[in-house]
Amino acid sequence: MRVLVIGRGPVAHSLLSVLPEGIDTWAGLRSGADRLDVAIAPARRDGHGAAHRRSIPAIEVAGGDDPPAGSVRWDAVLTTAPPHAEDLGRVLASSPDALLAGVSQAPSDVIALRAAAAGRRWGLLVPEFLATRERPVRWWGPLGLGFAVAGSAAPGLRALIGVGARTRRTGVHALLEQAALVIPVVAGFRIGGETWSGMLAEVPGIAAASVQARAAVSSLRRSPGSPFPAAAEVAALRSGLAVALRAAPAIAPVDLEVYMRSHFGHHTEQTLRMLDEWRAIGSAGGLPVDAITTLRDRFAATLGG
């Protein structure tokens, strides 16, 4: 079996580290090396555990021809980068039966991924852990290293990853709604001066935007005229978020402020795009989007835009 993992960030390293050694695994890079050296270790408060190391052959996926990725017959293509239609079309040219999966929960990226699949099995493979940009990559999750899987590719993804990592099967829309909880927190962290205390002060706005974003996403599968969540839901989420965010730094074995700056600091464009997409979806469905708009505009202001 031949598997291509596109990307070179911490999530790609995490995924490459859990694929069984017997699989013919390749790293798909937009440019650069002929190999990717993977090193990942569990995060601990006293440092980290022993690193798992692998050296993975690499292939260029952005038009390179040494050798051309599209001439290889892949059994599975897993992209940890936002799906790029032209690159994926080229990569999948010789792989009519390949399983295709991505990690991005942006609505437009999910649409692009499904279109690129062009009838193939496709799905989402979303990490449910933190992975730092250190070397070795340090990972931490409350229940261990794991992925949520969804879509028609879900059974194949669980079989592919095997016992090397915990997997949880869910629905595509559930993962889109999950992102509608996480990304407003990311925006609030930036608005709060990239400090944990500053983010805690933003919890009311974060909670209000999250409820509106989740309502927008869920409207894609609900019947027209479904009621908008009551004010009690906003209050409950605000209370729950405050408790969870206050407790998180004492529980996590990594510096969460450093992690948030490092990881999500590389994804500001995607964060802004997701806020814009939720606002557009909600507006099209006649739902309130004022809290999303406020959070989006304040976040954009921190980017100078």
Side-chain angles (χ1 to χ4, degrees), residues 168-181:
R168 175 179 69 89
R169 186 169 182 179
T170 186
V172 170
H173 277 88
L175 292 178
L176 295 182
E177 291 171 16
Q178 178 189 82
L181 175 63

Side-chain angles (χ1 to χ4, degrees), residues 68-97:
S71 67
V72 179
R73 190 177 182 91
W74 305 104
D75 295 294
V77 175
L78 316 176
T79 179
T80 67
H84 187 283
E86 185 177 348
D87 288 351
L88 284 177
R90 184 183 301 112
V91 166
L92 293 167
S94 297
S95 307
D97 300 319

Side-chain angles (χ1 to χ4, degrees), residues 93-110:
S94 297
S95 307
D97 300 319
L99 174 156
L100 178 63
V103 303
S104 175
Q105 293 157 282
S108 61
D109 286 342
V110 174

Side-chain angles (χ1 to χ4, degrees), residues 4-22:
L4 179 68
V5 176
I6 299 175
R8 66 195 319 158
V11 174
H13 279 248
S14 301
L15 184 54
L16 287 164
S17 74
V18 299
L19 290 174
E21 297 278 354

Side-chain angles (χ1 to χ4, degrees), residues 133-286:
R133 290 183 174 272
E134 300 169 283
R135 291 294 180 267
V137 170
R138 298 174 66 200
W139 66 264
W140 173 75
L143 299 176
L145 182 62
F147 295 87
V149 296
S152 60
L157 291 170
R158 299 189 79 178
L160 174 64
I161 295 173
V163 297
R166 178 180 57 88
T167 60
R168 175 179 69 89
R169 186 169 182 179
T170 186
V172 170
H173 277 88
L175 292 178
L176 295 182
E177 291 171 16
Q178 178 189 82
L181 175 63
V182 173
I183 296 303
V185 173
V186 172
F189 178 77
R190 177 99 181 193
I191 292 167
E194 296 190 327
T195 66
W196 211 255
S197 60
M199 178 177 62
L200 288 173
E202 299 296 332
V203 163
I206 292 170
S210 177
V211 167
Q212 290 185 356
R214 287 190 297 161
V217 171
S218 65
S219 73
L220 298 175
R221 59 172 175 170
R222 291 185 306 166
S223 59
S226 295
F228 184 77
E233 181 172 336
V234 180
L237 180 59
R238 182 169 62 241
S239 176
L241 267 179
V243 170
L245 292 175
R246 287 193 184 100
I251 297 171
V254 297
D255 186 320
L256 290 178
E257 285 189 352
V258 172
Y259 168 77
M260 293 284 282
R261 292 187 202 110
S262 173
H263 182 76
F264 291 106
H266 285 75
H267 299 285
T268 54
E269 180 277 332
Q270 186 181 53
T271 297
L272 187 62
R273 178 161 55 90
M274 292 173 80
L275 291 168
D276 282 336
E277 290 178 8
W278 293 326
R279 180 171 63 173
I281 294 168
S283 293

